[in-house]
Amino acid sequence: MEHPLEKRYPVSAQDYKLYEEVGDGVSATVFRALCIPLNEIVAIKVLDLEKCNNDLDGIRREVQTMSLIDHPNLLPAHCSFTAGHCLWVVMPYMAGGSCLHIMKSAYPEGFEEPVIATLLREVLKALVYLHAHGHIHRDVKAGNILIDSNGAVKLADFGVSACMFDSGDRQRSRNTFVGTPCWMAPEVMQQLHGYDFKADIWSLGITALELAHGHAPFSKYPPMKVLLMTLQNAPPGLDYERDKRFSKSFKEMVATCLVKDPKKRPTSEKLLKHHFFKHARSYDYLVHTILDGLAPLGERFRLLKTKEADLLVQNKALYEDKEQLSQQEYIKGISAWNFNLEDLKSQAALIQDYDDVSNAEDQDGSGKQMDRSDVDGLSEERMSPETVTTSIAAASPEDRLGLHDLEGSFASFPIKPLQALKGCFDIGEDDKGANGSNGKGFTGSESEQLILKSSRAMDQNAGKNEGEDSRQSSSLPRQAIPEYKTFSGSLMPDNTFSSRKVTGDEDRNFPQLKFQSDCIYSGPLYRQRRETNNTDNASESAVVQRGRFKVTSADLSSKGATNCIFSPSTGGPSPNVTASAILPSLQYILQQNTVQREELIRLIKYLEQTSDTTFFCKGERTAISALSAATENQGPCRGIAKSKSKKLAVRETITCFGQQQSLKKDWKAWIREGA
Ligand SMILES: Nc1ncnc2c1ncn2[C@@H]1O[C@H](COP(=O)(O)OP(=O)(O)OP(=O)(O)O)[C@@H](O)[C@H]1O
């Protein structure tokens, strides 16, 4: 039944008039637009599907999530549809733009504390909702916090969000290494135990620093170094000396979020009760303090783009050589399975721009090299910028990078940081050939379910959901196989499927399991539009770093771990590796395989119950309905009956198995049919 007050947004491009560009990101360009029949200004995110061949899964997930969420602090999608080879996502127009844009335009040194408290309280409310519904955002940062003309704050960008689910007594943690390096929690980088909602709390802490200083800690460094620093250094924080303008409660709140051990971080719900948020004000306050006097969003955006382009040109020459060299050296060292510490140290020492640390980390309060095990006494331990500068100047290149501590740091990690980082470079030139034949795979975020609406909201919106189903789900791109890189998630071992097409009856059998340690990496190392697969452009982004990492734990279980344990030349254990280093990795592999086996058995059972035996070839809809019936009251689908969430969950499950041949052409046809 349709909700009486629900607006129906048209699903045809000719009903919209595109105005100026107001934003762009890794995957899309966002326009201000007019919805002609409703005479309403909206924002439209336009994604060129032809060129998005390396992240269709992210797009699908994003649109799904946006169409299901129902919270005042989360940016929803009104509707979405394809137009030519583009996907259009129609959303409310957030005239203030993102907090990042606002800071860049008018507050380069960051916001005042009450503004930060107000913004973060709203973001936290959104996180409480997402977490309560089993969702991890995974990309909380100022660039994804949008403000509308009334000062309402909404968290946006669900392109990399993920869903946790609890099936019986087993709670699944995410195992995908995804996010934007500066904001990424250490456990997300580490990969061993997966991660959970607490990863968002870390990102929120980093976002707090970003809003306080105008930029995130380590933001000027290339991703590789950001990862190393996050893993090795004490957590960043607000410095008592430099950040005198901020209250003790703000410093405490940040420190509470930025604890390396996720278990020691508060839940979003608990954090919301922190006394820092008592300083939060109204939306009006935001309008008067940060929005008043700003130029229209489109104009600001245009100016920023011009500035960014100029900066890039200026810095290109400066960064290009150094950056390319350091990255190449890392790639060489890592993808050659070289885990000889001395070797890696000397390669790492090629990164030399640590000398300006006093201008960067210390401005962030994150340049301290001292360790801080927990939040207590956070700033007493911190070095002043002067101290850091002096000690760095006196140090050897290795000291400057903290490389003397590498060994110690490694020992304290269940997976060594460089091992974790290895996956990032699977796309390196050397590996392309090897990966070629198996470089296609499919996503395994497929156990993720969208259980986003509370049952009450579901009831209230039952009509709306049904009504929207045809419109919105019709726009959900069926999961397609990236043409170039492999996507994978935690449900299935990504690298266990043959890349051969599923075309006939024989192929309907489950894909051949074939443990191969091929390319699983996906996602840009650097800021890089999704249409660009050219890794050569990476260095250009050293200055403007907005790209995301996405590597799955499968790298680390089937390849990463093995690679570092066994010497490629001898096939035996590497002489440098101790039993205590090997054991956790082996246990992890075992655990992963057990989980995957369980999933396979469960899904085989489901499939056996269906009478439709042609679903792999004849379209997903048949499979969805067959499987929806079969899974009515089972496993992870329990509790989402009758909702389109369930369909989506089932669809995700199927796609995990069946979509080896989901070419873009197919799913676009499927979208047109209005599945
Ligand atoms: N509804 C909106 N109203 C106004 N501006 C928006 C809206 N949605 C997005 N933007 C702007 O467009 C930018 C890019 O949008 P978005 O983050 O969705 O794209 P993306 O490709 O997913 O980006 P990312 O690089 O974070 O992955 C945002 O940072 C924001 O400034």
mmCIF file of all heavy atoms in Angstrom, residues 390-435:
data_model
loop_
_atom_site.group_PDB
_atom_site.id
_atom_site.type_symbol
_atom_site.label_atom_id
_atom_site.label_comp_id
_atom_site.label_asym_id
_atom_site.label_seq_id
_atom_site.Cartn_x
_atom_site.Cartn_y
_atom_site.Cartn_z
ATOM 1 N N THR A 390 63.017 18.332 16.514
ATOM 2 C CA THR A 390 64.401 18.162 16.902
ATOM 3 C C THR A 390 64.813 16.703 16.813
ATOM 4 O O THR A 390 65.816 16.364 16.224
ATOM 5 C CB THR A 390 64.597 18.625 18.370
ATOM 6 O OG1 THR A 390 63.922 19.843 18.497
ATOM 7 C CG2 THR A 390 66.052 18.788 18.683
ATOM 8 N N SER A 391 63.987 15.846 17.367
ATOM 9 C CA SER A 391 64.407 14.452 17.392
ATOM 10 C C SER A 391 64.440 13.867 15.998
ATOM 11 O O SER A 391 65.277 13.040 15.689
ATOM 12 C CB SER A 391 63.502 13.633 18.304
ATOM 13 O OG SER A 391 62.189 13.751 17.862
ATOM 14 N N ILE A 392 63.576 14.339 15.154
ATOM 15 C CA ILE A 392 63.584 13.810 13.795
ATOM 16 C C ILE A 392 64.801 14.290 13.021
ATOM 17 O O ILE A 392 65.442 13.544 12.316
ATOM 18 C CB ILE A 392 62.279 14.167 13.080
ATOM 19 C CG1 ILE A 392 61.216 13.226 13.603
ATOM 20 C CG2 ILE A 392 62.397 14.016 11.575
ATOM 21 C CD1 ILE A 392 59.856 13.599 13.226
ATOM 22 N N ALA A 393 65.106 15.564 13.255
ATOM 23 C CA ALA A 393 66.259 16.101 12.540
ATOM 24 C C ALA A 393 67.514 15.332 12.909
ATOM 25 O O ALA A 393 68.390 15.094 12.090
ATOM 26 C CB ALA A 393 66.425 17.577 12.877
ATOM 27 N N ALA A 394 67.584 14.897 14.163
ATOM 28 C CA ALA A 394 68.781 14.208 14.616
ATOM 29 C C ALA A 394 68.794 12.731 14.235
ATOM 30 O O ALA A 394 69.782 12.057 14.393
ATOM 31 C CB ALA A 394 68.874 14.338 16.136
ATOM 32 N N ALA A 395 67.711 12.296 13.737
ATOM 33 C CA ALA A 395 67.609 10.853 13.525
ATOM 34 C C ALA A 395 68.099 10.428 12.155
ATOM 35 O O ALA A 395 68.177 11.219 11.224
ATOM 36 C CB ALA A 395 66.149 10.439 13.678
ATOM 37 N N SER A 396 68.405 9.168 12.066
ATOM 38 C CA SER A 396 68.775 8.581 10.785
ATOM 39 C C SER A 396 67.503 8.405 9.966
ATOM 40 O O SER A 396 66.402 8.464 10.504
ATOM 41 C CB SER A 396 69.417 7.213 11.022
ATOM 42 O OG SER A 396 68.417 6.347 11.488
ATOM 43 N N PRO A 397 67.647 8.174 8.643
ATOM 44 C CA PRO A 397 66.424 7.975 7.841
ATOM 45 C C PRO A 397 65.550 6.874 8.404
ATOM 46 O O PRO A 397 64.344 6.967 8.398
ATOM 47 C CB PRO A 397 66.989 7.592 6.461
ATOM 48 C CG PRO A 397 68.353 8.154 6.419
ATOM 49 C CD PRO A 397 68.847 8.165 7.829
ATOM 50 N N GLU A 398 66.176 5.845 8.902
ATOM 51 C CA GLU A 398 65.371 4.759 9.449
ATOM 52 C C GLU A 398 64.620 5.194 10.685
ATOM 53 O O GLU A 398 63.452 4.865 10.875
ATOM 54 C CB GLU A 398 66.265 3.561 9.795
ATOM 55 C CG GLU A 398 66.632 2.780 8.560
ATOM 56 C CD GLU A 398 67.272 1.459 8.907
ATOM 57 O OE1 GLU A 398 67.417 1.152 10.099
ATOM 58 O OE2 GLU A 398 67.606 0.746 7.976
ATOM 59 N N ASP A 399 65.327 5.958 11.507
ATOM 60 C CA ASP A 399 64.649 6.448 12.702
ATOM 61 C C ASP A 399 63.485 7.317 12.316
ATOM 62 O O ASP A 399 62.424 7.285 12.901
ATOM 63 C CB ASP A 399 65.614 7.283 13.563
ATOM 64 C CG ASP A 399 66.641 6.383 14.225
ATOM 65 O OD1 ASP A 399 66.289 5.234 14.513
ATOM 66 O OD2 ASP A 399 67.773 6.844 14.438
ATOM 67 N N ARG A 400 63.748 8.112 11.277
ATOM 68 C CA ARG A 400 62.704 9.047 10.877
ATOM 69 C C ARG A 400 61.440 8.316 10.488
ATOM 70 O O ARG A 400 60.344 8.769 10.724
ATOM 71 C CB ARG A 400 63.197 9.923 9.722
ATOM 72 C CG ARG A 400 64.049 11.064 10.217
ATOM 73 C CD ARG A 400 64.344 12.004 9.097
ATOM 74 N NE ARG A 400 65.754 12.008 8.787
ATOM 75 C CZ ARG A 400 66.224 12.001 7.565
ATOM 76 N NH1 ARG A 400 65.409 11.969 6.550
ATOM 77 N NH2 ARG A 400 67.500 12.020 7.349
ATOM 78 N N LEU A 401 61.620 7.208 9.873
ATOM 79 C CA LEU A 401 60.423 6.444 9.513
ATOM 80 C C LEU A 401 59.964 5.546 10.640
ATOM 81 O O LEU A 401 58.999 4.818 10.519
ATOM 82 C CB LEU A 401 60.725 5.568 8.288
ATOM 83 C CG LEU A 401 60.247 6.123 6.976
ATOM 84 C CD1 LEU A 401 60.690 5.204 5.857
ATOM 85 C CD2 LEU A 401 58.736 6.285 6.949
ATOM 86 N N GLY A 402 60.697 5.591 11.710
ATOM 87 C CA GLY A 402 60.338 4.708 12.815
ATOM 88 C C GLY A 402 60.655 3.273 12.457
ATOM 89 O O GLY A 402 60.092 2.336 12.992
ATOM 90 N N LEU A 403 61.606 3.096 11.547
ATOM 91 C CA LEU A 403 61.824 1.740 11.054
ATOM 92 C C LEU A 403 62.550 0.862 12.047
ATOM 93 O O LEU A 403 62.473 -0.356 11.975
ATOM 94 C CB LEU A 403 62.586 1.792 9.727
ATOM 95 C CG LEU A 403 61.731 2.333 8.600
ATOM 96 C CD1 LEU A 403 62.578 2.604 7.380
ATOM 97 C CD2 LEU A 403 60.619 1.372 8.264
ATOM 98 N N HIS A 404 63.246 1.486 12.970
ATOM 99 C CA HIS A 404 63.863 0.648 13.985
ATOM 100 C C HIS A 404 62.792 -0.079 14.771
ATOM 101 O O HIS A 404 63.026 -1.130 15.331
ATOM 102 C CB HIS A 404 64.725 1.485 14.926
ATOM 103 C CG HIS A 404 66.024 1.850 14.296
ATOM 104 N ND1 HIS A 404 66.762 0.959 13.553
ATOM 105 C CD2 HIS A 404 66.719 3.020 14.292
ATOM 106 C CE1 HIS A 404 67.872 1.557 13.129
ATOM 107 N NE2 HIS A 404 67.860 2.810 13.550
ATOM 108 N N ASP A 405 61.646 0.539 14.795
ATOM 109 C CA ASP A 405 60.573 -0.071 15.573
ATOM 110 C C ASP A 405 59.764 -1.075 14.765
ATOM 111 O O ASP A 405 58.857 -1.701 15.265
ATOM 112 C CB ASP A 405 59.598 1.012 16.076
ATOM 113 C CG ASP A 405 60.308 1.931 17.021
ATOM 114 O OD1 ASP A 405 61.288 1.474 17.628
ATOM 115 O OD2 ASP A 405 59.873 3.084 17.144
ATOM 116 N N LEU A 406 60.091 -1.167 13.496
ATOM 117 C CA LEU A 406 59.251 -2.026 12.659
ATOM 118 C C LEU A 406 59.154 -3.437 13.204
ATOM 119 O O LEU A 406 58.094 -4.011 13.299
ATOM 120 C CB LEU A 406 59.814 -2.085 11.227
ATOM 121 C CG LEU A 406 59.325 -1.041 10.259
ATOM 122 C CD1 LEU A 406 59.990 -1.251 8.915
ATOM 123 C CD2 LEU A 406 57.820 -1.107 10.119
ATOM 124 N N GLU A 407 60.328 -3.956 13.569
ATOM 125 C CA GLU A 407 60.329 -5.345 13.998
ATOM 126 C C GLU A 407 59.439 -5.513 15.204
ATOM 127 O O GLU A 407 58.613 -6.411 15.274
ATOM 128 C CB GLU A 407 61.752 -5.767 14.329
ATOM 129 C CG GLU A 407 61.948 -7.227 14.135
ATOM 130 C CD GLU A 407 63.374 -7.516 13.680
ATOM 131 O OE1 GLU A 407 64.183 -6.588 13.597
ATOM 132 O OE2 GLU A 407 63.649 -8.682 13.420
ATOM 133 N N GLY A 408 59.606 -4.587 16.145
ATOM 134 C CA GLY A 408 58.785 -4.655 17.351
ATOM 135 C C GLY A 408 57.322 -4.496 17.021
ATOM 136 O O GLY A 408 56.470 -5.209 17.529
ATOM 137 N N SER A 409 57.035 -3.558 16.103
ATOM 138 C CA SER A 409 55.633 -3.331 15.730
ATOM 139 C C SER A 409 55.056 -4.578 15.101
ATOM 140 O O SER A 409 53.942 -4.980 15.362
ATOM 141 C CB SER A 409 55.521 -2.200 14.711
ATOM 142 O OG SER A 409 56.197 -1.093 15.182
ATOM 143 N N PHE A 410 55.850 -5.191 14.230
ATOM 144 C CA PHE A 410 55.363 -6.384 13.562
ATOM 145 C C PHE A 410 55.024 -7.459 14.581
ATOM 146 O O PHE A 410 54.021 -8.137 14.475
ATOM 147 C CB PHE A 410 56.438 -6.934 12.614
ATOM 148 C CG PHE A 410 56.608 -6.108 11.382
ATOM 149 C CD1 PHE A 410 57.625 -6.387 10.496
ATOM 150 C CD2 PHE A 410 55.775 -5.044 11.115
ATOM 151 C CE1 PHE A 410 57.795 -5.635 9.353
ATOM 152 C CE2 PHE A 410 55.931 -4.284 9.975
ATOM 153 C CZ PHE A 410 56.953 -4.580 9.096
ATOM 154 N N ALA A 411 55.929 -7.587 15.539
ATOM 155 C CA ALA A 411 55.720 -8.670 16.494
ATOM 156 C C ALA A 411 54.411 -8.515 17.228
ATOM 157 O O ALA A 411 53.766 -9.484 17.589
ATOM 158 C CB ALA A 411 56.877 -8.708 17.476
ATOM 159 N N SER A 412 53.991 -7.272 17.418
ATOM 160 C CA SER A 412 52.780 -7.075 18.200
ATOM 161 C C SER A 412 51.514 -7.244 17.372
ATOM 162 O O SER A 412 50.420 -7.221 17.894
ATOM 163 C CB SER A 412 52.793 -5.689 18.838
ATOM 164 O OG SER A 412 52.710 -4.735 17.826
ATOM 165 N N PHE A 413 51.656 -7.416 16.061
ATOM 166 C CA PHE A 413 50.465 -7.593 15.243
ATOM 167 C C PHE A 413 50.251 -9.054 14.890
ATOM 168 O O PHE A 413 51.182 -9.760 14.560
ATOM 169 C CB PHE A 413 50.576 -6.795 13.942
ATOM 170 C CG PHE A 413 50.445 -5.344 14.187
ATOM 171 C CD1 PHE A 413 51.525 -4.506 14.048
ATOM 172 C CD2 PHE A 413 49.234 -4.820 14.608
ATOM 173 C CE1 PHE A 413 51.395 -3.163 14.303
ATOM 174 C CE2 PHE A 413 49.114 -3.479 14.853
ATOM 175 C CZ PHE A 413 50.194 -2.637 14.704
ATOM 176 N N PRO A 414 49.021 -9.442 14.937
ATOM 177 C CA PRO A 414 48.725 -10.819 14.560
ATOM 178 C C PRO A 414 49.124 -11.084 13.121
ATOM 179 O O PRO A 414 49.607 -12.125 12.786
ATOM 180 C CB PRO A 414 47.209 -10.934 14.714
ATOM 181 C CG PRO A 414 46.742 -9.687 15.353
ATOM 182 C CD PRO A 414 47.826 -8.689 15.272
ATOM 183 N N ILE A 415 48.896 -10.107 12.269
ATOM 184 C CA ILE A 415 49.437 -10.186 10.918
ATOM 185 C C ILE A 415 50.352 -8.990 10.795
ATOM 186 O O ILE A 415 50.015 -7.899 11.196
ATOM 187 C CB ILE A 415 48.343 -10.062 9.850
ATOM 188 C CG1 ILE A 415 47.524 -11.321 9.839
ATOM 189 C CG2 ILE A 415 48.952 -9.861 8.483
ATOM 190 C CD1 ILE A 415 46.491 -11.341 8.757
ATOM 191 N N LYS A 416 51.489 -9.227 10.257
ATOM 192 C CA LYS A 416 52.419 -8.113 10.165
ATOM 193 C C LYS A 416 51.883 -7.068 9.203
ATOM 194 O O LYS A 416 51.314 -7.410 8.178
ATOM 195 C CB LYS A 416 53.766 -8.641 9.704
ATOM 196 C CG LYS A 416 54.336 -9.606 10.729
ATOM 197 C CD LYS A 416 55.611 -10.225 10.228
ATOM 198 C CE LYS A 416 56.142 -11.154 11.282
ATOM 199 N NZ LYS A 416 57.402 -11.771 10.863
ATOM 200 N N PRO A 417 52.100 -5.803 9.533
ATOM 201 C CA PRO A 417 51.517 -4.753 8.701
ATOM 202 C C PRO A 417 51.873 -4.873 7.235
ATOM 203 O O PRO A 417 51.028 -4.743 6.375
ATOM 204 C CB PRO A 417 52.116 -3.470 9.283
ATOM 205 C CG PRO A 417 52.587 -3.819 10.632
ATOM 206 C CD PRO A 417 52.850 -5.288 10.666
ATOM 207 N N LEU A 418 53.114 -5.157 6.960
ATOM 208 C CA LEU A 418 53.481 -5.209 5.550
ATOM 209 C C LEU A 418 52.846 -6.398 4.860
ATOM 210 O O LEU A 418 52.551 -6.372 3.683
ATOM 211 C CB LEU A 418 55.004 -5.233 5.395
ATOM 212 C CG LEU A 418 55.616 -3.871 5.659
ATOM 213 C CD1 LEU A 418 57.128 -3.962 5.776
ATOM 214 C CD2 LEU A 418 55.226 -2.873 4.586
ATOM 215 N N GLN A 419 52.617 -7.402 5.640
ATOM 216 C CA GLN A 419 51.914 -8.554 5.072
ATOM 217 C C GLN A 419 50.486 -8.139 4.735
ATOM 218 O O GLN A 419 49.955 -8.451 3.677
ATOM 219 C CB GLN A 419 51.919 -9.672 6.100
ATOM 220 C CG GLN A 419 51.139 -10.887 5.685
ATOM 221 C CD GLN A 419 51.109 -11.874 6.834
ATOM 222 O OE1 GLN A 419 52.025 -11.913 7.647
ATOM 223 N NE2 GLN A 419 50.072 -12.651 6.910
ATOM 224 N N ALA A 420 49.900 -7.396 5.661
ATOM 225 C CA ALA A 420 48.543 -6.915 5.415
ATOM 226 C C ALA A 420 48.512 -6.011 4.197
ATOM 227 O O ALA A 420 47.585 -6.033 3.418
ATOM 228 C CB ALA A 420 48.025 -6.162 6.629
ATOM 229 N N LEU A 421 49.559 -5.250 4.040
ATOM 230 C CA LEU A 421 49.580 -4.312 2.926
ATOM 231 C C LEU A 421 49.856 -4.990 1.600
ATOM 232 O O LEU A 421 49.624 -4.424 0.560
ATOM 233 C CB LEU A 421 50.675 -3.270 3.173
ATOM 234 C CG LEU A 421 50.462 -2.426 4.404
ATOM 235 C CD1 LEU A 421 51.632 -1.498 4.605
ATOM 236 C CD2 LEU A 421 49.180 -1.655 4.286
ATOM 237 N N LYS A 422 50.330 -6.170 1.685
ATOM 238 C CA LYS A 422 50.714 -6.849 0.468
ATOM 239 C C LYS A 422 49.590 -6.868 -0.560
ATOM 240 O O LYS A 422 49.788 -6.610 -1.730
ATOM 241 C CB LYS A 422 51.142 -8.276 0.784
ATOM 242 C CG LYS A 422 51.547 -9.025 -0.451
ATOM 243 C CD LYS A 422 51.899 -10.428 -0.079
ATOM 244 C CE LYS A 422 52.184 -11.212 -1.338
ATOM 245 N NZ LYS A 422 51.036 -11.251 -2.211
ATOM 246 N N GLY A 423 48.397 -7.137 -0.067
ATOM 247 C CA GLY A 423 47.257 -7.207 -0.969
ATOM 248 C C GLY A 423 47.064 -5.949 -1.779
ATOM 249 O O GLY A 423 46.546 -5.984 -2.883
ATOM 250 N N CYS A 424 47.500 -4.851 -1.224
ATOM 251 C CA CYS A 424 47.301 -3.582 -1.921
ATOM 252 C C CYS A 424 48.037 -3.563 -3.240
ATOM 253 O O CYS A 424 47.749 -2.768 -4.097
ATOM 254 C CB CYS A 424 47.831 -2.414 -1.099
ATOM 255 S SG CYS A 424 47.200 -2.408 0.532
ATOM 256 N N PHE A 425 48.999 -4.399 -3.369
ATOM 257 C CA PHE A 425 49.847 -4.301 -4.544
ATOM 258 C C PHE A 425 49.689 -5.475 -5.491
ATOM 259 O O PHE A 425 50.472 -5.682 -6.372
ATOM 260 C CB PHE A 425 51.299 -4.131 -4.116
ATOM 261 C CG PHE A 425 51.466 -2.877 -3.346
ATOM 262 C CD1 PHE A 425 51.553 -2.904 -1.967
ATOM 263 C CD2 PHE A 425 51.440 -1.655 -3.992
ATOM 264 C CE1 PHE A 425 51.657 -1.732 -1.257
ATOM 265 C CE2 PHE A 425 51.543 -0.475 -3.283
ATOM 266 C CZ PHE A 425 51.649 -0.516 -1.909
ATOM 267 N N ASP A 426 48.656 -6.203 -5.282
ATOM 268 C CA ASP A 426 48.449 -7.326 -6.176
ATOM 269 C C ASP A 426 48.218 -6.892 -7.610
ATOM 270 O O ASP A 426 48.285 -7.681 -8.523
ATOM 271 C CB ASP A 426 47.242 -8.170 -5.728
ATOM 272 C CG ASP A 426 47.618 -9.007 -4.534
ATOM 273 O OD1 ASP A 426 48.813 -9.032 -4.200
ATOM 274 O OD2 ASP A 426 46.728 -9.620 -3.948
ATOM 275 N N ILE A 427 47.906 -5.642 -7.745
ATOM 276 C CA ILE A 427 47.611 -5.154 -9.079
ATOM 277 C C ILE A 427 48.894 -4.631 -9.752
ATOM 278 O O ILE A 427 48.877 -4.187 -10.862
ATOM 279 C CB ILE A 427 46.522 -4.059 -9.000
ATOM 280 C CG1 ILE A 427 45.819 -3.904 -10.328
ATOM 281 C CG2 ILE A 427 47.078 -2.736 -8.526
ATOM 282 C CD1 ILE A 427 44.991 -5.069 -10.704
ATOM 283 N N GLY A 428 49.955 -4.717 -9.048
ATOM 284 C CA GLY A 428 51.233 -4.237 -9.581
ATOM 285 C C GLY A 428 51.569 -4.901 -10.906
ATOM 286 O O GLY A 428 51.159 -6.023 -11.178
ATOM 287 N N GLU A 429 52.303 -4.211 -11.696
ATOM 288 C CA GLU A 429 52.620 -4.676 -13.049
ATOM 289 C C GLU A 429 53.076 -6.126 -13.072
ATOM 290 O O GLU A 429 52.663 -6.912 -13.896
ATOM 291 C CB GLU A 429 53.715 -3.785 -13.656
ATOM 292 C CG GLU A 429 53.225 -2.414 -14.102
ATOM 293 C CD GLU A 429 52.110 -2.512 -15.117
ATOM 294 O OE1 GLU A 429 52.181 -3.339 -16.021
ATOM 295 O OE2 GLU A 429 51.146 -1.750 -14.982
ATOM 296 N N ASP A 430 53.939 -6.438 -12.145
ATOM 297 C CA ASP A 430 54.509 -7.775 -12.141
ATOM 298 C C ASP A 430 53.445 -8.848 -12.016
ATOM 299 O O ASP A 430 53.605 -9.953 -12.488
ATOM 300 C CB ASP A 430 55.457 -7.931 -10.934
ATOM 301 C CG ASP A 430 56.699 -7.113 -11.131
ATOM 302 O OD1 ASP A 430 56.859 -6.593 -12.244
ATOM 303 O OD2 ASP A 430 57.490 -6.999 -10.194
ATOM 304 N N ASP A 431 52.383 -8.485 -11.376
ATOM 305 C CA ASP A 431 51.394 -9.507 -11.070
ATOM 306 C C ASP A 431 50.307 -9.622 -12.120
ATOM 307 O O ASP A 431 49.531 -10.549 -12.103
ATOM 308 C CB ASP A 431 50.716 -9.194 -9.733
ATOM 309 C CG ASP A 431 51.723 -9.276 -8.622
ATOM 310 O OD1 ASP A 431 52.724 -9.971 -8.789
ATOM 311 O OD2 ASP A 431 51.519 -8.643 -7.620
ATOM 312 N N LYS A 432 50.235 -8.650 -12.971
ATOM 313 C CA LYS A 432 49.098 -8.617 -13.891
ATOM 314 C C LYS A 432 49.009 -9.866 -14.740
ATOM 315 O O LYS A 432 47.958 -10.444 -14.904
ATOM 316 C CB LYS A 432 49.165 -7.380 -14.784
ATOM 317 C CG LYS A 432 48.460 -6.203 -14.144
ATOM 318 C CD LYS A 432 48.449 -5.071 -15.115
ATOM 319 C CE LYS A 432 47.976 -3.792 -14.436
ATOM 320 N NZ LYS A 432 48.268 -2.625 -15.221
ATOM 321 N N GLY A 433 50.138 -10.255 -15.250
ATOM 322 C CA GLY A 433 50.128 -11.425 -16.102
ATOM 323 C C GLY A 433 49.616 -12.637 -15.364
ATOM 324 O O GLY A 433 48.732 -13.344 -15.829
ATOM 325 N N ALA A 434 50.146 -12.809 -14.210
ATOM 326 C CA ALA A 434 49.772 -13.980 -13.435
ATOM 327 C C ALA A 434 48.304 -13.983 -13.107
ATOM 328 O O ALA A 434 47.658 -15.010 -13.042
ATOM 329 C CB ALA A 434 50.585 -14.026 -12.159
ATOM 330 N N ASN A 435 47.773 -12.808 -12.953
ATOM 331 C CA ASN A 435 46.386 -12.720 -12.558
ATOM 332 C C ASN A 435 45.432 -12.747 -13.729
ATOM 333 O O ASN A 435 44.233 -12.889 -13.566
ATOM 334 C CB ASN A 435 46.131 -11.429 -11.772
ATOM 335 C CG ASN A 435 46.855 -11.470 -10.467
ATOM 336 O OD1 ASN A 435 47.079 -12.548 -9.928
ATOM 337 N ND2 ASN A 435 47.213 -10.325 -9.958
#
